[in-house]
Amino acid sequence: MNNRSKVCSSALEAIGNTPLIRLARLDADLPGQIYAKAEFLSPGGSMKDRIARQMIEDAERAGKLKPGDTVVEVTSGNTGIGLAIVCAIKGYRFIAVMSEGNSPERRMILQALGAKVELVPQGPGGKPGQVTGQDLKLVEERGRQIAQELQAFFVDQFHNPSNVAAHAATTGQEIWDQLEGKIDIFLDVVGTAGTFVGVASTLKAKNPAIRCLAVEPASAPVLAGKPVTSPQHKLQGSSYAMIPGLWRQDLCDGYLTVTDEEAVATARRLAAEEGLLVGYTAGGNVAAALKLAKECAPGTTIVTILCDSGMKYLSSDLFVKS
């Protein structure tokens, strides 16, 4: 019995077991069939709820966290929201350190969940809604400083192996079970690399023939080893024009790129044609999937991730057509 057919003792039990949705209107008349994991239906509205729960519970098991402790993490918003939920239930004080460039909805949600939000100014030339690797370094420096000053537990999602473990044990296994192993291609935009590496490792352990492809912004294809023309893009929470510490090249069978315009247009199509209100990165994932679905062999099964809810971007240009 999954968490959508039982009474949960807390929101923690409602994390995961999200539906896999066939995008039958978007892929109509295309050779490939696209399935998308609806991670926006998790309590915090994103796939990051999974890693938030795992990272905190693993830290508890390892004796790194005890009742009354403070938790600190650098976040673009989604991991912070997941951690705010977990910390609220478990009784930890939580401080989210994030760039001023991230959408204001995320910080508002964090504050509503009881978190303290520490905003870090963007680097020179920074643009709202476009957080770069340089901005992230500034956030991480401040986060580590706060954690040291308060003797708090620093979650460190970009290097925490529990990030990968959460997706290997849950997201990847769920996808395999939901499609009964009938998967040809998995693709995902890479941020911390936790989702990609976790899901890919599980799928490839079950069937090495499954192709796992990394999606990157067209202006910053760093994983593919190509020039970065601009680290600024709209795929918030991902692709910081640097290779993440959790990345595993051996699990990646190839690379795809999407532009900001493609991500926005596809997110709008998901809302208008599939009734799925999701964010920029989910739009990027599906845009890449549609490219594959047009040129692949008939009947090819493509799986991707709807990373988070579009509710977190209502103040942006995502759904406001200029």
Side-chain angles (χ1 to χ4, degrees), residues 1 16 50 113 120 149 168 207 250 271 296:
M1 182 169 64
R50 297 176 186 263
L113 289 167
V120 179
E149 289 172 355
N207 180 2
D250 61 302
C296 65

Side-chain angles (χ1 to χ4, degrees), residues 116-136:
K116 177 183 177 182
V117 178
E118 176 89 7
L119 291 178
V120 179
Q122 290 183 268
K127 296 180 180 179
Q130 299 181 18
V131 177
T132 67
Q134 178 187 16
D135 296 329
L136 186 65

Side-chain angles (χ1 to χ4, degrees), residues 47-112:
M47 63 187 183
K48 297 294 190 176
D49 290 358
R50 297 176 186 263
I51 70 170
R53 179 178 62 186
Q54 182 107 17
M55 291 188 297
I56 292 298
E57 292 185 347
D58 284 353
E60 290 173 332
R61 284 187 282 268
K64 297 177 181 179
L65 264 176
K66 61 183 184 299
D69 279 354
T70 296
V71 174
V72 175
E73 178 58 333
V74 299
T75 177
S76 66
N78 282 329
T79 300
I81 290 167
L83 285 167
I85 291 170
V86 176
C87 289
I89 292 168
K90 290 178 172 286
Y92 299 116
R93 180 190 181 208
F94 176 55
I95 302 174
V97 187
M98 63 190 302
S99 172
E100 286 183 345
N102 290 121
S103 65
E105 288 89 344
R106 298 193 192 194
R107 75 186 70 148
M108 292 168 68
I109 295 169
L110 281 162
Q111 290 167 335

Side-chain angles (χ1 to χ4, degrees), residues 193-217:
T195 307
F196 183 92
V197 172
V199 173
S201 61
T202 293
L203 295 181
K204 283 185 170 291
K206 295 176 179 297
N207 180 2
I210 296 173
R211 295 179 64 212
C212 296
L213 308 176
V215 181
E216 299 186 272

Side-chain angles (χ1 to χ4, degrees), residues 1-20 37-47 49-50 53 85 169-171 174 178:
M1 182 169 64
N2 65 39
N3 58 12
R4 296 184 184 275
S5 59
K6 70 174 185 178
V7 175
C8 299
S9 63
S10 76
L12 298 184
E13 291 186 9
I15 293 172
N17 284 309
T18 55
L20 193 64
K37 199 85 164 87
E39 291 298 282
F40 62 90
L41 292 177
S42 205
S46 88
M47 63 187 183
D49 290 358
R50 297 176 186 263
R53 179 178 62 186
I85 291 170
T170 66
T171 319
E174 289 169 24
Q178 286 166 321

